[in-house]
Amino acid sequence: QVQLQESGPRLVKPSETLSLTCTVSGASISSHYWSWIRQLAGKELEWIGRIYASESANYNPSLKSRVTMSTDTSKNQFSLNLTSVTAADTAVYYCAREVAVAGLDTWGQGTLVTVSS
Amino acid sequence: DIQMTQSPSSLSASVGDRVTITCRASQSITHYLNWYQQKPGKAPKVVIYAASSLQRGVPSRFSGSGSGTDFTLTISNLQPEDFATYYCQQSYSTPYTFGQGTNLEIK
């Protein structure tokens, strides 16, 4: 059974960097694409980007200048860094696995990150 | 970016009803359309992928159809556990995009 778990600070100050890690169990991080999605207060879902085994990453152009994703195969984890955050980045952040054709088939429970001084 | 437009944004129905939610893409996405169910405080869960394929473990009262730009999610014989918010999502090209959601409420 594949499980994903987000971890990282729940409170980030404006202009600082939001950093989250997703720990994967039951599947290898070296297979599949691994995505980050966020859900804003109005319930809108926004795809942030995805990474495949550190070989390639695709980012949402709306966030591309501020986003970096990476993987750590030794820990079976992947990470998200979002720089220069503002209150508009306050959201529930989810990590998820993408399976070809089958969509985002497994999600973490989500973590609320608040940007505030 | 491909824009996804769902309708209606909210829907009231009773247990046993049949409901349909529609999703329209701003350009053809062939069959790369997924439907998610989300309950309060929980992560979205895929119910239909590739427009019409039922995710393992999802009851057969859920069905999806469509191709190109127009898609539908139908839930027959609504059960209490089906009341939730439903989102469509295109996986045809990045950036992946979601519809704005349909809140299915008990009448």
Side-chain angles (χ1 to χ4, degrees):
Chain A
Q1 180 187 0
V2 181
Q3 292 184 315
L4 285 71
Q5 177 69 58
E6 303 91 349
S7 60
R10 305 293 179 91
L11 181 64
V12 182
K13 290 183 168 54
S15 80
E16 295 190 345
T17 297
L18 180 159
S19 296
L20 293 173
T21 296
C22 185
T23 301
V24 179
S25 59
S28 171
I29 200 81
S30 299
S31 302
H32 305 296
Y33 276 99
W34 303 90
S35 287
W36 288 97
I37 303 102
R38 66 183 184 179
Q39 187 161 34
L40 307 172
K43 303 300 183 183
E44 170 194 357
L45 288 165
E46 181 177 35
W47 181 82
I48 300 170
R50 66 178 185 175
I51 189 164
Y52 182 84
S54 292
E55 294 176 2
S56 64
N58 305 107
Y59 302 138
N60 194 321
S62 68
L63 299 167
K64 187 174 183 177
S65 64
R66 300 194 290 133
V67 170
T68 304
M69 294 181 184
S70 61
T71 62
D72 185 337
T73 53
S74 67
K75 296 181 180 179
N76 219 39
Q77 296 175 332
F78 63 106
S79 298
L80 167 70
N81 276 356
L82 180 65
T83 63
S84 305
V85 297
T86 70
D89 294 309
T90 293
V92 176
Y93 286 76
Y94 294 101
C95 56
R97 182 180 75 166
E98 177 186 348
V99 175
V101 180
L104 299 160
D105 77 326
T106 308
W107 294 59
Q109 65 184 25
T111 186
L112 173 62
V113 179
T114 302
V115 178
S116 175
S117 55
Chain B
D1 299 5
I2 298 174
Q3 306 303 313
M4 307 300 294
T5 304
Q6 263 180 261
S7 61
S9 56
S10 64
L11 180 57
S12 293
S14 300
V15 172
D17 284 354
R18 179 175 183 266
V19 298
T20 298
I21 300 168
T22 65
C23 182
R24 174 166 288 179
S26 60
Q27 66 181 74
S28 176
I29 57 172
T30 65
H31 62 287
Y32 289 94
L33 189 283
N34 310 303
W35 289 98
Y36 298 86
Q37 175 194 69
Q38 186 178 33
K39 296 182 178 179
K42 299 294 187 181
K45 162 190 155 184
V46 62
V47 293
I48 297 288
Y49 64 92
S52 60
S53 295
L54 189 66
Q55 176 71 348
R56 189 187 311 174
V58 175
S60 59
R61 60 181 180 270
F62 287 83
S63 63
S65 65
S67 66
T69 60
D70 294 309
F71 302 86
T72 59
L73 172 69
T74 299
I75 313 171
S76 303
N77 187 25
L78 272 173
Q79 296 300 299
E81 60 268 28
D82 300 336
F83 292 93
T85 301
Y86 292 85
Y87 295 91
C88 61
Q89 177 240 342
Q90 64 84 14
S91 53
Y92 178 77
S93 66
T94 61
Y96 294 154
T97 46
F98 293 83
Q100 77 276 21
T102 296
N103 185 23
L104 177 56
E105 300 175 318
I106 299 176
K107 186 182 290 184

